[in-house]
Amino acid sequence: MRKSHHFFSFIKVVLLIVAVGFGLLATVGRYVEANSGDGIPEDAIRIRIIANSDKKTDQSVKNKVRDEVAAYIQTWGGMPDTHDKAYALIKSHMADIQRIVDDKLDELGVSYGGAVELGEVPFPEKTFEGERYEAGNYEALRITLGKGNGTNWWCVLFPPLCLTAAVAKDDPGASAEARAASAGGSSADAEDEEPKAKFFLWELLEKLFAFLGSLFG
């Protein structure tokens, strides 16, 4: 009787592990599907941080403000799954984002301030994932530092195509060196981020399958 009890307990554990495995496979499938779309959707919410100028010091300030804002956004735990919810979430944090920008500029000792806004704002022609987008007004969280005459950093907050995916671009026409400095790394570095997440999920599956193999080995 006791052996039978242990046998059925063992079967339950195996079934649970198999269920977890299928859950991970489904997660991988959803991740791949979510990241295989064609460019930026119509209801996207962008983020754009414009430097005071293209001077090295102002570009450095922009990058440091970007890092502070990005770190804060990542504490939200991810974007909601609809535009309206994402917009409401960003809007509810506008005062905090303004404070973070102000505090960082004070810390860096610059003479200019920063303006934070959320709404339809003008964008020059942009390229994202190899696809070109015409100049026009797009919904965005825009942070303008000082006079806003410098190369900007931008990406997409909703759907979450940046920050967590580390996808970022700068104004067309900037030098390769300026683009790399503004994005916080080379384009190759940015492209490497998405596969890392996939490899992490695959490693989990490999460990699961190895564990199942040890049970029946």
Side-chain angles (χ1 to χ4, degrees):
M1 179 68 70
R2 182 170 297 178
K3 288 183 179 181
S4 176
H5 173 74
H6 288 314
F7 174 76
F8 284 113
S9 297
F10 172 78
I11 294 298
K12 288 180 181 178
V13 171
V14 171
L15 290 175
L16 176 61
I17 293 172
V18 171
V20 171
F22 279 115
L24 285 173
L25 285 172
T27 299
V28 172
R30 286 193 298 270
Y31 179 88
V32 172
E33 181 180 358
N35 287 277
S36 60
D38 296 326
I40 303 173
E42 290 291 330
D43 64 347
I45 303 175
R46 295 159 170 79
I47 177 172
R48 187 181 184 208
I49 304 178
I50 311 173
N52 179 57
S53 76
D54 277 333
K55 291 181 179 179
K56 185 176 180 180
T57 52
D58 285 337
Q59 286 296 316
S60 176
V61 167
K62 178 196 70 180
N63 290 340
K64 290 174 180 177
V65 169
R66 174 203 65 199
D67 291 345
E68 289 288 324
V69 172
Y72 174 63
I73 290 174
Q74 288 176 351
T75 66
W76 301 352
M79 281 290 163
D81 57 359
T82 67
H83 167 274
D84 291 347
K85 290 179 181 178
Y87 186 92
L89 176 65
I90 297 168
K91 188 174 181 62
S92 70
H93 290 285
M94 290 293 287
D96 289 331
I97 295 172
Q98 182 69 64
R99 175 183 53 78
I100 288 169
V101 171
D102 293 341
D103 289 349
K104 193 61 182 180
L105 293 177
D106 287 343
E107 177 188 323
L108 296 172
V110 296
S111 60
Y112 51 81
V116 179
E117 55 190 316
L118 176 64
E120 296 282 334
V121 298
F123 267 73
E125 186 179 82
K126 296 288 187 180
T127 300
F128 185 87
E129 295 292 304
E131 187 171 343
R132 191 168 296 275
Y133 294 86
E134 295 182 359
N137 292 328
Y138 295 94
E139 196 166 57
L141 168 63
R142 183 172 69 175
I143 301 173
T144 305
L145 304 178
K147 296 180 180 179
N149 290 330
T151 301
N152 78 128
W153 174 89
W154 77 282
C155 55
V156 183
L157 281 179
F158 173 84
L161 302 180
C162 73
L163 301 184
T164 55
V167 176
K169 303 292 178 183
D170 286 276
D171 278 331
S175 67
E177 182 180 354
R179 287 196 300 270
S182 180
S186 69
S187 59
D189 292 335
E191 290 170 0
D192 282 345
E193 289 300 320
E194 183 180 346
K196 284 179 183 177
K198 292 181 182 178
F199 292 154
F200 173 72
L201 290 172
W202 182 249
E203 286 172 2
L204 288 179
L205 288 174
E206 286 182 332
K207 291 177 181 179
L208 173 63
F209 294 144
F211 177 69
L212 286 173
S214 68
L215 291 177
F216 296 100

Coordinates of all heavy atoms in Angstrom, one line a residue, residues 134-169:
E134 N 7.7 58.4 -41.2 CA 7.7 59.7 -41.7 C 7.6 60.7 -40.5 O 7.2 60.4 -39.4 CB 6.5 60.0 -42.6 CG 6.5 59.2 -43.9 CD 5.3 59.5 -44.7 OE1 4.5 60.3 -44.3 OE2 5.2 58.9 -45.8
A135 N 8.1 61.9 -40.7 CA 8.0 62.9 -39.7 C 6.6 63.3 -39.5 O 5.7 63.2 -40.4 CB 8.8 64.2 -40.2
G136 N 6.2 63.6 -38.2 CA 4.8 63.9 -37.9 C 4.6 63.9 -36.4 O 5.6 63.9 -35.6
N137 N 3.4 64.1 -36.0 CA 3.1 64.1 -34.6 C 2.7 62.7 -34.1 O 1.9 62.0 -34.7 CB 1.9 65.0 -34.3 CG 2.2 66.5 -34.6 OD1 3.4 66.9 -34.3 ND2 1.3 67.3 -35.0
Y138 N 3.4 62.3 -33.0 CA 3.2 61.0 -32.4 C 3.1 61.1 -30.9 O 3.6 62.0 -30.3 CB 4.4 60.0 -32.7 CG 4.6 59.7 -34.2 CD1 5.5 60.5 -35.0 CD2 3.9 58.7 -34.8 CE1 5.7 60.2 -36.3 CE2 4.1 58.4 -36.2 CZ 5.0 59.2 -36.9 OH 5.2 58.9 -38.3
E139 N 2.3 60.2 -30.4 CA 2.1 60.2 -28.9 C 3.3 59.8 -28.2 O 3.9 58.7 -28.5 CB 0.9 59.3 -28.6 CG 0.4 59.5 -27.2 CD -1.0 58.8 -26.9 OE1 -1.0 57.6 -27.1 OE2 -1.9 59.5 -26.6
A140 N 3.8 60.6 -27.3 CA 5.1 60.3 -26.6 C 5.2 60.9 -25.3 O 4.5 62.0 -25.0 CB 6.2 60.7 -27.5
L141 N 6.0 60.4 -24.5 CA 6.5 61.0 -23.3 C 7.8 61.7 -23.7 O 8.8 61.1 -24.1 CB 6.9 60.0 -22.2 CG 7.7 60.5 -21.0 CD1 6.9 61.5 -20.2 CD2 8.1 59.3 -20.1
R142 N 7.7 63.1 -23.7 CA 8.9 63.8 -24.2 C 9.5 64.6 -23.1 O 8.8 65.3 -22.3 CB 8.4 64.8 -25.3 CG 9.6 65.6 -25.9 CD 9.2 66.4 -27.1 NE 8.3 67.6 -26.8 CZ 7.9 68.5 -27.6 NH1 8.3 68.4 -28.9 NH2 7.1 69.4 -27.2
I143 N 10.8 64.5 -23.0 CA 11.6 65.2 -22.0 C 12.6 66.1 -22.8 O 13.5 65.6 -23.4 CB 12.4 64.3 -21.1 CG1 11.4 63.3 -20.4 CG2 13.2 65.0 -20.1 CD1 12.0 62.2 -19.6
T144 N 12.4 67.4 -22.7 CA 13.2 68.4 -23.4 C 14.2 69.0 -22.4 O 13.7 69.7 -21.4 CB 12.4 69.5 -24.0 OG1 11.4 68.9 -24.9 CG2 13.3 70.4 -24.8
L145 N 15.5 68.9 -22.6 CA 16.5 69.4 -21.7 C 17.0 70.7 -22.2 O 17.5 70.8 -23.4 CB 17.6 68.4 -21.5 CG 17.3 67.0 -21.1 CD1 18.5 66.1 -21.0 CD2 16.6 67.1 -19.7
G146 N 16.9 71.8 -21.4 CA 17.3 73.1 -21.9 C 16.6 73.6 -23.1 O 15.4 73.5 -23.2
K147 N 17.4 74.0 -24.1 CA 16.9 74.5 -25.4 C 16.4 73.4 -26.3 O 15.7 73.6 -27.3 CB 17.9 75.4 -26.1 CG 18.3 76.6 -25.3 CD 19.4 77.4 -26.1 CE 19.7 78.7 -25.3 NZ 20.8 79.5 -26.0
G148 N 16.8 72.1 -26.0 CA 16.4 71.0 -26.9 C 16.9 71.1 -28.3 O 16.2 70.7 -29.2
N149 N 18.1 71.5 -28.4 CA 18.7 71.6 -29.8 C 19.7 70.5 -30.1 O 20.3 70.5 -31.2 CB 19.5 73.0 -29.9 CG 18.6 74.2 -29.9 OD1 17.4 74.1 -30.4 ND2 19.1 75.3 -29.4
G150 N 19.8 69.5 -29.2 CA 20.7 68.4 -29.5 C 20.1 67.2 -30.0 O 18.9 67.0 -30.1
T151 N 21.0 66.2 -30.3 CA 20.6 64.9 -30.8 C 19.7 64.2 -29.6 O 20.1 64.3 -28.5 CB 21.8 64.0 -31.1 OG1 22.5 64.6 -32.1 CG2 21.3 62.6 -31.6
N152 N 18.6 63.6 -30.0 CA 17.8 63.0 -29.0 C 17.9 61.5 -29.0 O 18.4 60.8 -29.9 CB 16.3 63.3 -29.3 CG 15.7 62.5 -30.4 OD1 14.6 61.9 -30.3 ND2 16.4 62.4 -31.6
W153 N 17.5 60.9 -27.8 CA 17.4 59.5 -27.6 C 15.9 59.1 -27.6 O 15.1 59.9 -27.0 CB 18.0 59.1 -26.3 CG 17.8 57.6 -26.0 CD1 18.6 56.6 -26.3 CD2 16.8 57.0 -25.2 NE1 18.1 55.4 -25.8 CE2 17.0 55.7 -25.1 CE3 15.6 57.6 -24.5 CZ2 16.2 54.8 -24.4 CZ3 14.8 56.7 -23.8 CH2 15.1 55.4 -23.7
W154 N 15.5 58.1 -28.3 CA 14.1 57.7 -28.3 C 13.9 56.2 -28.4 O 14.8 55.5 -28.9 CB 13.4 58.4 -29.5 CG 13.6 57.8 -30.8 CD1 14.8 57.9 -31.6 CD2 12.8 56.9 -31.5 NE1 14.6 57.1 -32.7 CE2 13.4 56.5 -32.7 CE3 11.5 56.4 -31.2 CZ2 12.8 55.6 -33.6 CZ3 10.9 55.5 -32.2 CH2 11.6 55.1 -33.4
C155 N 12.8 55.8 -28.0 CA 12.4 54.4 -28.2 C 10.9 54.3 -28.0 O 10.2 55.3 -27.9 CB 13.2 53.4 -27.4 SG 13.2 53.8 -25.6
V156 N 10.4 53.1 -27.8 CA 8.9 52.8 -27.6 C 8.6 52.3 -26.3 O 9.1 51.2 -25.9 CB 8.4 51.9 -28.8 CG1 6.9 51.8 -28.7 CG2 8.8 52.4 -30.1
L157 N 7.8 53.0 -25.5 CA 7.3 52.5 -24.2 C 6.2 51.5 -24.3 O 6.2 50.5 -23.6 CB 6.9 53.7 -23.4 CG 8.0 54.6 -22.7 CD1 7.3 55.7 -21.9 CD2 8.9 53.7 -21.8
F158 N 5.2 51.8 -25.1 CA 4.1 50.9 -25.3 C 3.8 50.7 -26.8 O 3.7 51.6 -27.5 CB 2.8 51.4 -24.7 CG 1.6 50.6 -25.0 CD1 1.3 49.4 -24.3 CD2 0.8 50.9 -26.1 CE1 0.3 48.6 -24.6 CE2 -0.3 50.1 -26.4 CZ -0.5 48.9 -25.6
P159 N 3.8 49.4 -27.2 CA 4.2 48.2 -26.5 C 5.6 48.3 -26.1 O 6.4 49.0 -26.7 CB 3.9 47.1 -27.5 CG 4.0 47.7 -28.8 CD 3.5 49.1 -28.7
P160 N 6.0 47.5 -25.0 CA 7.4 47.6 -24.5 C 8.5 47.1 -25.5 O 8.9 46.0 -25.4 CB 7.3 46.8 -23.2 CG 6.3 45.8 -23.5 CD 5.2 46.5 -24.3
L161 N 8.9 48.0 -26.4 CA 9.9 47.6 -27.4 C 11.2 48.2 -27.0 O 12.2 48.0 -27.7 CB 9.5 48.2 -28.8 CG 8.2 47.7 -29.3 CD1 7.9 48.3 -30.7 CD2 8.1 46.1 -29.4
C162 N 11.3 48.9 -25.9 CA 12.6 49.4 -25.4 C 12.7 49.4 -23.9 O 11.8 48.9 -23.2 CB 12.8 50.9 -25.9 SG 11.8 52.0 -25.0
L163 N 13.8 49.9 -23.4 CA 14.2 49.8 -22.0 C 14.4 48.3 -21.6 O 15.6 47.9 -21.4 CB 13.1 50.4 -21.1 CG 12.8 51.9 -21.4 CD1 11.8 52.4 -20.3 CD2 14.1 52.7 -21.3
T164 N 13.3 47.5 -21.6 CA 13.6 46.1 -21.3 C 14.2 45.4 -22.5 O 15.0 44.5 -22.3 CB 12.2 45.4 -21.0 OG1 11.3 45.6 -22.1 CG2 11.6 45.9 -19.7
A165 N 14.0 45.9 -23.7 CA 14.6 45.3 -24.9 C 15.8 46.0 -25.3 O 16.5 45.6 -26.2 CB 13.6 45.3 -26.0
A166 N 16.1 47.2 -24.7 CA 17.3 48.0 -24.9 C 17.4 48.4 -26.4 O 18.4 48.4 -27.0 CB 18.5 47.2 -24.5
V167 N 16.2 48.7 -27.0 CA 16.2 49.2 -28.4 C 16.1 50.7 -28.4 O 15.1 51.2 -27.9 CB 15.1 48.6 -29.2 CG1 15.0 49.1 -30.6 CG2 15.2 47.1 -29.2
A168 N 17.1 51.4 -28.9 CA 17.1 52.8 -28.9 C 17.7 53.4 -30.2 O 18.6 52.8 -30.7 CB 17.8 53.4 -27.7
K169 N 17.2 54.6 -30.6 CA 17.7 55.2 -31.8 C 17.9 56.7 -31.5 O 17.4 57.2 -30.6 CB 16.8 55.0 -33.0 CG 16.4 53.5 -33.3 CD 17.6 52.8 -33.8 CE 17.2 51.3 -34.1 NZ 18.3 50.5 -34.6

